[in-house]
Amino acid sequence: MKQQVAISNRSESTLESYSTRIAAVGLHFGCMPEHLGPEQIRDYLGELAGLQASPSRSSFKHTVYGLRFYFKLIGLKDRSVELPSIRANHKLPTVLSKAECKLIFKTPHLLRHRLALCFIYSTGLRVSEFSNLKIGDVDFDRMMVHVRAGKGRKDRYVPLSKLIIPGLKKYLLAEHPQKYLFEGMKPGMQYSTRGIQWVMRESVTKSGIKKENICVHTLRHSYATHLLEDGIDIVTIKNLLGHSNIVTTMIYLHVMQPKGKTSHSPLDTLYGKL
């Protein structure tokens, strides 16, 4: 699987996701997937799909993809046809206001935690891209951040915020990271994605924000939406986010608040002018 993932130009996170889900199927039944009947697999997927929590939906999706990949890998392409198709999720993302972002960024006690959240928002990085960021990827002279091997193994550059530079330099002098821009408990080891997710959860809880489904990725959604509201065109945002298809980026057109004349409730004009 590792060899085939590399040949097909998929990421290490894809290998980890597929392997984890296939292992879960094997542990559940006590045998490898190729020894299971179609009904057993359908029942297993049905249990995953029937759970309401979003992580379970994610497990369902990755299990389907993993099994499809695995069956093709071992020469059972006909087995992948038996797996259910996955309908696209048309839910709109949760987006924080600029005021809510400020509130979250000032909540953590440690400078490195405040900077980590602020850095992710200011660059629109995925949490895995942030975790893999090395010290040399930040170009203070050109005011750019080099994002290496993002989703689809694509590199890209994103602007470095001038407002974050003083804090970032202060952090580097105080913490002395060896390799990665933000490191975990052990020197030279990258900050885990679970670690930054924990920082985000704690910050949201302490800030008192009541919006649902807020996670680190919400900062990326907010980054894209705020850029649209600031007048940046959709194609530029697509490139900054590293999207392969502009259709993916266009979802933010549904959540942005355009400047000028905006939509409103008819109640606001029922008793007079808006």
Side-chain angles (χ1 to χ4, degrees), residues 19 28 31 37 40-41 85 95 99 101 116 120 127 152 172 216 229 268:
S19 300
H28 180 81
C31 64
Q40 289 175 293
I41 293 179
S85 59
V95 172
C101 287
I120 293 172
V127 66
L172 290 172
V216 176
E229 293 173 344
D268 293 330

Side-chain angles (χ1 to χ4, degrees), residues 121-154:
Y121 166 77
S122 69
T123 54
L125 298 188
R126 301 176 177 92
V127 66
S128 59
E129 294 170 342
F130 167 79
S131 182
N132 291 328
L133 207 62
K134 296 178 181 177
I135 300 171
D137 293 332
V138 179
D139 190 333
F140 290 104
D141 295 326
R142 296 183 60 243
M143 301 280 290
M144 300 294 286
V145 178
H146 190 177
V147 185
R148 302 178 187 272
K151 193 171 183 179
R153 292 185 175 273
K154 295 184 298 182

Side-chain angles (χ1 to χ4, degrees), residues 47-57 91:
E47 291 180 12
L48 287 181
L51 298 175
Q52 297 301 310
S54 56
S56 300
R57 294 298 301 173
K91 289 183 178 180

Side-chain angles (χ1 to χ4, degrees), residues 16-223:
E16 181 180 356
S17 174
Y18 287 178
S19 300
T20 300
R21 300 320 311 168
I22 292 168
V25 173
L27 289 170
H28 180 81
F29 289 101
C31 64
M32 292 303 288
E34 62 266 33
H35 301 301
L36 299 173
E39 291 185 2
Q40 289 175 293
I41 293 179
R42 278 198 299 270
D43 289 344
Y44 181 81
L45 291 174
E47 291 180 12
L48 287 181
L51 298 175
Q52 297 301 310
S54 56
S56 300
R57 294 298 301 173
S58 178
S59 297
F60 169 77
K61 180 179 70 174
H62 291 142
T63 300
V64 172
Y65 289 154
L67 286 171
R68 283 177 177 166
F69 185 85
Y70 179 73
F71 284 144
K72 288 179 182 178
L73 181 66
I74 62 175
L76 296 176
K77 293 183 179 180
D78 58 318
R79 292 293 302 275
S80 65
V81 179
E82 300 168 358
L83 299 176
S85 59
I86 300 175
R87 293 183 179 180
N89 191 341
H90 298 292
K91 289 183 178 180
L92 293 176
T94 298
V95 172
L96 298 167
S97 69
K98 290 185 177 182
E100 288 170 333
C101 287
K102 290 180 182 179
L103 187 58
I104 287 175
F105 299 154
K106 74 176 185 180
T107 298
H109 176 69
L110 296 179
L111 172 64
R112 68 199 306 262
H113 290 168
R114 294 197 300 271
L115 272 175
L117 298 181
C118 195
F119 191 93
I120 293 172
Y121 166 77
S122 69
T123 54
L125 298 188
R126 301 176 177 92
V127 66
S128 59
E129 294 170 342
F130 167 79
S131 182
N132 291 328
L133 207 62
K134 296 178 181 177
I135 300 171
D137 293 332
V138 179
D139 190 333
F140 290 104
D141 295 326
R142 296 183 60 243
M143 301 280 290
M144 300 294 286
V145 178
H146 190 177
V147 185
R148 302 178 187 272
K151 193 171 183 179
R153 292 185 175 273
K154 295 184 298 182
D155 284 16
R156 71 184 188 278
Y157 280 94
V158 297
L160 175 66
S161 169
K162 63 181 180 181
L163 291 179
I164 204 172
I165 290 177
L168 203 53
K169 288 185 175 180
K170 180 181 178 181
Y171 154 78
L172 290 172
L173 287 172
E175 297 282 346
H176 301 292
Q178 296 182 4
K179 181 179 179 181
Y180 294 94
L181 185 63
F182 288 85
E183 296 183 340
M185 299 299 292
K186 295 182 179 179
M189 299 296 291
Q190 64 195 111
Y191 205 122
S192 70
T193 56
R194 287 186 178 182
I196 191 62
Q197 291 281 12
W198 178 86
V199 172
M200 183 66 178
R201 285 196 304 271
E202 288 290 300
S203 300
V204 171
T205 300
K206 291 179 181 178
S207 69
I209 297 173
K210 301 301 181 183
K211 287 181 178 177
E212 295 185 356
N213 302 319
I214 298 178
C215 61
V216 176
H217 206 70
T218 305
L219 297 176
R220 178 174 162 89
H221 292 319
S222 304
Y223 164 87

